C-alpha cells in the first residue's frame, strides 16, 4: 500500500514490479486513489495507492466512486493476480470482464456494492454499453482480444468493450456452462493455461460451443435481446451459487 510523495520509499516498495513503477509513483505523488495489478504473469502483485482518497460514504461525482470501492476495486485487481497463474497470452476482454464481473458479484454477495446490488449494477453497465454500441456500430467483443493490437476504432472503447461488455460476456459464459459462479472460475481458468487448452479453446468448450466465433455470434444475439431477458440470465446465475 503506497501513499504520499516519498518517491524513494515508494520506489523501494515497487522495485520488483517490472516497469510499472513510474505509472504508479505518478499516481501516488498526485495524491490519486487507485489500485493496480502490477507485474508480469509469473509475478503479479496487488498495489493500492492512496486508499484514503477512495470513497467510503455516498456517490462522489468528482472521484466517480461509491461506498465499498476499495473492496470492489480490490476484488477486480486481485482477480488479475489469479489470472496470472493461468493466462499468459493476450485476453483483454476476458481478463478485464471477468474481473469486473466478480467484483460486482461478490459486491452483491457481501453487501459492499451499493448501486442496488449485483443485478442492478449489471443492468446499469448494460445500459451504458448499449449506448456505446448505438454510437459505435460494428465494434464488438472480438475487437478487444488484445488491446495492443485492437483496431483503431476500438481502442477508445477499451472500458466499454473490455470491462463492461466483457463483464456481460463472462455472465453469458457462466450461464452457458451451467456451472455456478465459483465453480466456473475454479474449472475454467486453469484450462486457459497454454499447456492446457488456452483460453480461445477453453471458452467455447466450457460453453458447449464449437469455437470462439460461435461464442461471439451467440453473445451478440443475446445482447440484442430485451432487458427482461438480460435480467433473466442474471437471476439464473443467482440460483447457481456453488
Amino acid at each position: 500500500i503506497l501513499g504520499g510523495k516519498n518517491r524513494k520509499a515508494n520506489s523501494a516498495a515497487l522495485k520488483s514490479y517490472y516497469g510499472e513503477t513510474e505509472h504508479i509513483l505518478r499516481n501516488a505523488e498526485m495524491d490519486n486513489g487507485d489500485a493496480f495489478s502490477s507485474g508480469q504473469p509469473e509475478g503479479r502483485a496487488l498495489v493500492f495507492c492512496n486508499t484514503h482518497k477512495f470513497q467510503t460514504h455516498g456517490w462522489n461525482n468528482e472521484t466517480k466512486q461509491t461506498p465499498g470501492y476499495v473492496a470492489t476495486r480490490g476484488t477486480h485487481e486481485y482477480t488479475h493476480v489469479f489470472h496470472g497463474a493461468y493466462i499468459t497470452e493476450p485476453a483483454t476482454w476476458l481478463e478485464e470482464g471477468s474481473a469486473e464481473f466478480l467484483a460486482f458479484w461478490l459486491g452483491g454477495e457481501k453487501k459492499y456494492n451499493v448501486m442496488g446490488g449485483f443485478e442492478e449494477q449489471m443492468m446499469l453497465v448494460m445500459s451504458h454499453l448499449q449506448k456505446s454500441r448505438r454510437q459505435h456500430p460494428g465494434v464488438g467483443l472480438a475487437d478487444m482480444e488484445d488491446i495492443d493490437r485492437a483496431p483503431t476504432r476500438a481502442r477508445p472503447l477499451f472500458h466499454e468493450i473490455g470491462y463492461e461488455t466483457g463483464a456481460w460476456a463472462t455472465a453469458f459464459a457462466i450461464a452457458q456452462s451451467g456451472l455456478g459462479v465459483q465453480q466456473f472460475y475454479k474449472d475454467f481458468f486453469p484450462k486457459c493455461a497454454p499447456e492446457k487448452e488456452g483460453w480461445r479453446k477453453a471458452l467455447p468448450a466450457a460453453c458447449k460451443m464449437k469455437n470462439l466465433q460461435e461464442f461471439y455470434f451467440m453473445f451478440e444475439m443475446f445482447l440484442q435481446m430485451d432487458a427482461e431477458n438480460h435480467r433473466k440470465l442474471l437471476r439464473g446465475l443467482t440460483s447457481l451459487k456453488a
Side-chain angles (χ1 to χ4, degrees):
I1 298 178
L2 308 177
K5 299 184 179 182
N6 188 333
R7 172 171 276 261
K8 184 176 181 180
N10 287 338
S11 294
L14 288 167
K15 63 182 179 181
S16 64
Y17 291 152
Y18 307 104
E20 301 207 29
T21 302
E22 284 301 318
H23 175 58
I24 299 172
L25 287 178
R26 186 165 58 252
N27 277 273
E29 291 171 347
M30 293 174 64
D31 205 28
N32 291 335
D34 216 333
F36 310 85
S37 169
S38 181
Q40 301 301 316
E42 66 273 16
R44 291 191 183 186
L46 177 59
V47 180
F48 280 98
C49 176
N50 292 317
T51 56
H52 65 285
K53 297 302 290 287
F54 284 2
Q55 185 71 11
T56 56
H57 298 289
W59 175 259
N60 185 305
N61 282 319
E62 181 179 348
T63 63
K64 307 301 181 186
Q65 296 173 9
T66 62
Y69 184 75
V70 172
T72 54
R73 184 63 182 271
T75 300
H76 177 108
E77 300 301 340
Y78 191 78
T79 304
H80 290 325
V81 178
F82 169 71
H83 289 147
Y86 306 113
I87 300 178
T88 59
E89 57 184 331
T92 300
W93 75 255
L94 177 61
E95 289 199 64
E96 297 300 348
S98 63
E100 199 76 342
F101 172 87
L102 194 60
F104 294 156
W105 174 266
L106 289 178
E109 290 283 289
K110 304 300 182 182
K111 310 300 183 186
Y112 55 69
N113 183 350
V114 299
M115 299 296 286
F118 168 71
E119 182 178 325
E120 291 310 312
Q121 179 68 66
M122 287 291 287
M123 293 305 296
L124 182 66
V125 167
M126 177 61 81
S127 175
H128 189 256
L129 75 86
Q130 292 287 21
K131 179 180 179 181
S132 176
R133 282 163 54 82
R134 290 191 295 272
Q135 294 174 339
H136 305 278
V139 183
L141 202 62
D143 295 312
M144 199 54 68
E145 290 186 2
D146 182 356
I147 182 59
D148 293 329
R149 297 183 178 182
T152 302
R153 61 179 184 165
R155 291 184 183 184
L157 304 175
F158 173 53
H159 185 83
E160 289 83 351
I161 302 175
Y163 288 71
E164 297 181 336
T165 310
W168 270 96
T170 301
F172 180 76
I174 295 170
Q176 296 301 308
S177 76
L179 299 173
V181 174
Q182 180 177 340
Q183 198 61 47
F184 179 85
Y185 277 71
K186 285 183 176 181
D187 288 1
F188 168 68
F189 282 102
K191 295 176 183 177
C192 293
E195 64 271 19
K196 296 296 181 68
E197 301 176 47
W199 78 266
R200 288 178 173 82
K201 291 183 178 179
L203 181 62
C207 297
K208 306 175 182 65
M209 297 181 186
K210 295 178 182 178
N211 50 45
L212 191 57
Q213 288 65 39
E214 183 180 4
F215 175 84
Y216 286 144
F217 176 81
M218 296 303 294
F219 178 59
E220 175 62 28
M221 294 299 99
F222 168 74
L223 288 179
Q224 293 179 22
M225 293 181 178
D226 60 22
E228 187 53 41
N229 278 288
H230 298 156
R231 288 185 182 274
K232 183 178 180 180
L233 181 139
L234 296 177
R235 291 165 185 167
L237 297 182
T238 61
S239 67
L240 296 170
K241 294 185 178 181

